[in-house]
Every structure is written in C-alpha cells, then in structure tokens.
Amino acid sequence: MRVVAALLLLVVAYLGTTYAQVVIAARDGAGDVGPATQAIIVLGAAQYDGRPSPVLEARLEHAVTLYDLGVAPVVVVTGGQQPGDRSREATVSAAYLLRRGVPEEALRREVDGANTWEQLAASARFLATESIDEVVLVSDPLHTK
C-alpha cells in the first residue's frame, strides 16, 4: 500500500512540475522571437459571428505582445469567409487588434484565403509590393505540426 501511495505521489509531483514549466514558458510571450523583422503574420482561425475563437484570440494576443515589443511595424491578419459565416476571419482579427491598440496604419488584411497556404501566398504577394520579405508567423503548436 505504501508503495502505491509513493508512486501516486511521484506521479502527481511530476505532473505538477511539468504543468508549472509549461505555464512559465507560456508567459514568456516573445521568447521565441529573435531580432526585429518587417511584419508579423497572424494565421487565421475560426471566428464565431464576429468574435475570435479562443485559438484565434490567443494568436491575436501574441501578435499584440510582439507588436508592442517592437518586433515589427506591420501586422498582417489572414483568413477569408467560410461557408455560413457572416464575417471574414481577417476582418474580425483586425477589429480585435484595433481594440487592443494596434493602429490602423500598421494593419494589413488578407481576406480571401481559405487555408493556410492560400493565406500565406496572398500575404507574400501584397507584402512584396511594400518590399517586405522578412516576417514572423503567429500560429499555435497544433497548427504547426
């Protein structure tokens, strides 16, 4: 019985330590970014009737942090309108960033992409017209696997 209790205590301690490490790492919002670049591209995710999904909101908050740290002077939001939606992902994202203090002149919108490839290709095309070719992508771990 004591062996089982000791094993259970070790498992709980291990899980608690791992959880604490993840929380601490997650709070270091810009630790994954090197020197300043030209633009931040926020990859689209679901929006619900004009409100960002939790996944999209987390991406947008990370972009606000990066923008506020001066990582880039331009923020690109991406995402078109899925069947049945009344709003485009990029439009919802831009509105969110405006409310969080990112100025309109810093925002660029890619509003037609239906998937990540289309969003990035379209963003690259219009950023090239501004001679922007160095970007930081904002997504999430599940999306990048």
Side-chain angles (χ1 to χ4, degrees), residues 101-113:
V102 177
E104 178 66 46
E105 59 272 12
L107 292 175
R108 309 293 185 278
R109 296 162 178 83
E110 182 291 306
V111 296
D112 295 319

Side-chain angles (χ1 to χ4, degrees), residues 32-38 70-72 134-136:
D32 55 351
V33 176
T37 189
Q38 295 172 298
V71 169
E134 294 180 17
V135 301
V136 170

Side-chain angles (χ1 to χ4, degrees), residues 55-117:
V55 169
L56 182 55
E57 184 173 10
R59 293 178 188 181
L60 294 168
E61 281 299 319
H62 191 66
V64 168
T65 299
L66 296 175
Y67 181 81
D68 288 346
L69 288 171
V71 169
V74 172
V75 180
V76 179
V77 289
T78 66
Q81 190 168 350
Q82 300 299 320
D85 284 350
R86 295 190 299 181
S87 302
R88 289 181 164 87
E89 292 170 9
T91 303
V92 171
S93 295
Y96 184 94
L97 292 176
L98 287 166
R99 287 191 303 274
R100 295 286 287 119
V102 177
E104 178 66 46
E105 59 272 12
L107 292 175
R108 309 293 185 278
R109 296 162 178 83
E110 182 291 306
V111 296
D112 295 319
N115 58 53
T116 301
W117 173 255

